[in-house]
């Protein structure tokens, strides 16, 4: 859902809740309706926090490929994903969102280049299919970026979700495949 629509809906709900509380107390202090509304308003930030916390990602040692420089890159990518997720979930403004998106996309490309060089320099046998996955992903992101420039609010949710899901699945899957091969070559 568009962020502006979500903000409008939440603001409307809060205004209506205060109205219900005000009108409810006109019917007496023992009327349960305003008290229920007060409880909902108090619980709202906790409900919101619980719902949004699931959208953030955290480093897990199972994601490690056992090569320090690559693990550091992957951790940085997770941190940039969370930065972008913050921009999507909270009213941080367009400039913050654009910067968070551009930092994530740029660092993804930087990381792919570093990883590809490491695989190529060490004659990793599955270098080509791995590189193809990277290239396909960058093409998909480029297509999303075109859509983002046409309609920012309609695209940002799906674009963020794509970046997050793709990167996590790739780090947890395809990237693990070179781990033993490169470690056997003494790369740590
Ligand atoms: Fe860590 Fe293949 O990207």
């Amino acid at each position: 859902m568009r962020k502006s629509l979500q903000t409008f809906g939440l603001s409307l709900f809060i205004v209506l809740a205060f109205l219900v509380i005000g009108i409810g107390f006109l019917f007496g202090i023992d009327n349960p309706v305003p008290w229920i509304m007060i409880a909902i308003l108090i619980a709202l930030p906790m409900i919101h926090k619980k719902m949004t916390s699931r959208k953030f990602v955290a480093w897990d040692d199972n994601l490690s490929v056992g090569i320090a420089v690559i693990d550091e890159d992957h951790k940085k990518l997770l941190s940039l994903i969370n930065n972008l997720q913050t921009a999507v979930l909270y009213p941080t403004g367009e400039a913050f969102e654009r910067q968070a998106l551009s930092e994530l996309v740029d660092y993804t490309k930087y990381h792919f280049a570093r990883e590809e060089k490491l695989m190529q320099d060490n004659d990793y046998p599955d270098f080509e299919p791995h590189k193809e996955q990277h290239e396909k992903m960058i093409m998909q992101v480029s297509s999303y970026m075109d859509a983002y420039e046409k309609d920012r609010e309609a695209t940002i949710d799906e674009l963020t979700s794509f970046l997050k899901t793709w990167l996590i699945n790739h780090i947890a899957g395809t990237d693990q495949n070179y781990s033993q091969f490169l470690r056997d070559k003494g790369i740590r």
Side-chain angles (χ1 to χ4, degrees):
M1 192 195 290
R2 284 172 180 260
K3 192 155 62 175
S4 53
L5 211 60
Q6 283 176 332
T7 308
F8 175 74
L10 185 62
S11 308
L12 189 65
F13 174 78
I14 291 170
V15 169
L16 287 174
F18 275 109
L19 264 176
V20 169
I21 291 166
I23 294 168
F25 279 135
L26 292 177
F27 290 89
I29 197 79
D30 54 350
N31 180 8
V33 176
W35 292 109
I36 291 168
M37 289 311 293
I38 288 170
I40 291 173
L41 283 178
I42 290 170
L44 214 52
M46 281 181 285
I47 295 167
H48 183 257
K49 193 176 172 192
K50 205 168 175 62
M51 284 170 69
T52 54
S53 65
R54 274 180 278 168
K55 296 197 175 235
F56 290 90
V57 290
W59 176 258
D60 182 307
D61 283 342
N62 288 328
L63 294 174
S64 172
V65 294
I67 299 166
V69 71
I70 299 294
D71 280 349
E72 286 312 308
D73 268 4
H74 289 160
K75 284 176 190 170
K76 169 96 176 169
L77 286 170
L78 261 57
S79 150
L80 292 172
I81 287 169
N82 285 338
N83 217 25
L84 179 59
Q85 192 65 77
T86 300
V88 171
L89 288 171
Y90 299 98
T92 50
E94 183 178 343
F96 181 90
E97 179 185 290
R98 281 186 178 277
Q99 189 180 340
L101 179 57
S102 134
E103 280 177 357
L104 176 56
V105 172
D106 289 349
Y107 202 84
T108 299
K109 291 177 184 170
Y110 169 81
H111 164 67
F112 284 173
R114 191 211 294 273
E115 199 179 74
E116 284 165 17
K117 184 169 186 324
L118 195 63
M119 289 189 283
Q120 194 170 31
D121 286 353
N122 289 282
D123 300 318
Y124 176 55
D126 286 335
F127 166 67
E128 283 299 336
H130 194 133
K131 186 168 178 256
E132 274 168 27
Q133 281 195 25
H134 288 171
E135 286 169 348
K136 190 176 169 205
M137 187 268 198
I138 293 299
M139 277 169 59
Q140 285 173 288
V141 169
S142 171
S143 158
Y144 267 119
M145 291 301 283
D146 290 344
Y148 178 78
E149 290 308 330
K150 286 184 189 127
D151 192 341
R152 186 174 68 87
E153 284 211 3
T155 313
I156 190 62
D157 274 350
E158 198 179 330
L159 172 53
T160 303
S161 176
F162 172 77
L163 284 163
K164 179 168 58 180
T165 308
W166 195 97
L167 284 167
I168 294 291
N169 287 341
H170 183 78
I171 292 168
T174 306
D175 281 353
Q176 300 298 321
N177 296 339
Y178 62 62
S179 172
Q180 198 57 55
F181 179 87
L182 293 180
R183 283 171 57 79
D184 285 348
K185 295 227 167 192
I187 296 162
R188 295 287 192 276

